[in-house]
Amino acid sequence: MNKTFLRDNLKRLVLVLLGSFLAALGVQLFLVPIHLLTAGIAGFALLLSYVTPIPAGLGLFILNVPIFLFCMKYLEKEFLVWSIVGMITLSASFALTAPLADLHPVKDMYLNLIAGAVVSGFGCGLVFRARASQGGTDVIAAAVRKVSSVRIGYLLFVLNASVVVILAIMYGLEPALATIVVIAIESVVIERTIIGVDGNKALMIITRKPDEIAAELMKRVDRGVTIIEASGAYTHERRPIVLCILRTRQLAIATKIVRDIDPESFTYVHDVTEVIGHGFKASPI
């Protein structure tokens, strides 16, 4: 039990360290040389470093201290601990990679913003996969969920929008618009890093031929299938529901199976962000 706990937390720490370093590397190597920003509190720290002598790493730490002091009583202990670890490692990584900003290896602004967003987004995604955070808006969001019904998306939008507006006032519209693109790309890369490139889908099939469809899905797609007993609300006719969780790449085969066996079936598909169980690859930690 203790060995498993230590091994799990060691893996989490390695991912947090690696993710924080990559997040800082992407920002310092590609975004800082052309005065672009990243999302959240890190964006404020970068903006602060552009207009004051305070380095981004130190600024990030300073900005996070009051956030943690105000929000810590609303956070679960494990999340709080790993958020502090993530925040400290990100701040240290910003300080460690600061000299790399002078290298400016890529001159084109658009290549810089794409590379910076992809590298930093991948780093942040690794931290989230470790069930940790890097402080800042993640801590604010977790605390707000505990005490308020305010939509987190609105809060993050206002925060990021304010950073972009200040950047536009200081450096013009072009870097501000470029920063919007950076934030958008980062969001996509973070999500893909967390759930994987090949995501999961839930296939729900209302059919008169549940046994035939289930058998063919298990044979050709090699996924487990559950048959749920159901009936129509109007006709009260028995109409079982076939449920199957599969990979996105398997979806076309599965829907063709359904159409071939029961063209009159009613089928809908929705995204599944995480699957834990036999037949699916678990998160690395």
Side-chain angles (χ1 to χ4, degrees):
M1 182 69 177
N2 289 335
K3 288 184 178 179
T4 302
F5 176 80
L6 291 174
R7 184 169 60 249
D8 179 66
N9 282 280
L10 180 60
K11 290 181 179 179
R12 293 176 73 178
L13 181 60
V14 169
L15 272 191
V16 170
L17 290 171
L18 177 60
S20 294
F21 179 78
L22 289 176
L25 180 67
V27 170
Q28 298 283 20
L29 201 57
F30 300 107
L31 302 184
V32 171
I34 55 174
H35 289 90
L36 295 186
L37 302 177
T38 185
I41 299 301
F44 272 111
L46 283 176
L47 190 59
L48 189 65
S49 71
Y50 294 158
V51 297
T52 71
I54 300 176
L58 179 59
L60 183 62
F61 182 82
I62 293 172
L63 290 171
N64 268 290
V65 168
I67 292 174
F68 275 95
L69 291 176
F70 180 77
C71 298
M72 61 186 303
K73 63 180 178 181
Y74 304 110
L75 304 177
E76 296 179 359
K77 182 179 179 181
E78 183 180 11
F79 180 78
L80 174 62
V81 170
W82 281 103
S83 295
I84 292 174
V85 172
M87 183 269 289
I88 292 175
T89 56
L90 182 61
S91 298
S93 296
F94 264 100
L96 183 65
T97 57
L100 298 178
D102 297 329
L103 296 179
H104 199 180
V106 180
K107 306 305 178 185
D108 183 81
M109 183 180 75
Y110 299 104
L111 292 178
N112 270 291
L113 71 88
I114 293 172
V118 170
V119 175
S120 62
F122 179 65
C124 292
L126 290 179
V127 174
F128 288 131
R129 288 203 70 163
R131 306 190 304 278
S133 86
Q134 294 170 317
T137 53
D138 302 320
V139 171
I140 295 173
V144 168
R145 288 193 198 98
K146 294 283 186 178
V147 299
S148 173
S149 60
V150 174
R151 297 280 299 269
I152 302 302
Y154 294 153
L155 181 65
L156 300 182
F157 173 79
V158 170
L159 181 64
N160 290 326
S162 62
V163 172
V164 171
V165 169
I166 296 172
L167 185 66
I169 294 172
M170 293 176 55
Y171 294 100
L173 187 59
E174 187 172 358
L177 293 176
T179 292
I180 293 175
V181 177
V182 170
I183 294 173
I185 295 175
E186 280 181 338
S187 300
V188 173
V189 174
I190 289 171
E191 182 182 6
R192 290 295 95 192
T193 303
I194 294 171
I195 68 176
V197 176
D198 184 22
N200 301 309
K201 301 287 185 180
L203 190 67
M204 303 284 286
I205 310 150
I206 302 175
T207 176
R208 290 187 174 90
K209 301 178 179 179
D211 295 328
E212 294 94 323
I213 290 177
E216 199 66 16
L217 286 173
M218 288 186 288
K219 177 183 176 181
R220 294 178 56 188
V221 183
D222 194 26
R223 289 296 176 191
V225 179
T226 300
I227 298 177
I228 304 170
E229 293 297 328
S231 61
Y234 180 73
T235 64
H236 299 290
E237 179 184 356
R238 177 182 176 273
R239 192 69 65 86
I241 299 175
V242 177
L243 168 63
C244 182
I245 308 295
L246 37 72
R247 295 293 191 188
T248 300
R249 64 177 181 269
Q250 299 171 315
L251 183 60
I253 298 174
T255 53
K256 185 178 186 305
I257 290 172
V258 175
R259 287 196 304 269
D260 291 344
I261 295 176
D262 186 3
E264 297 181 356
S265 63
F266 181 84
T267 304
Y268 67 94
V269 181
H270 56 90
D271 294 325
V272 178
T273 57
E274 185 174 2
V275 181
I276 301 172
H278 178 70
F280 286 87
K281 186 178 180 180
S283 296
I285 55 174

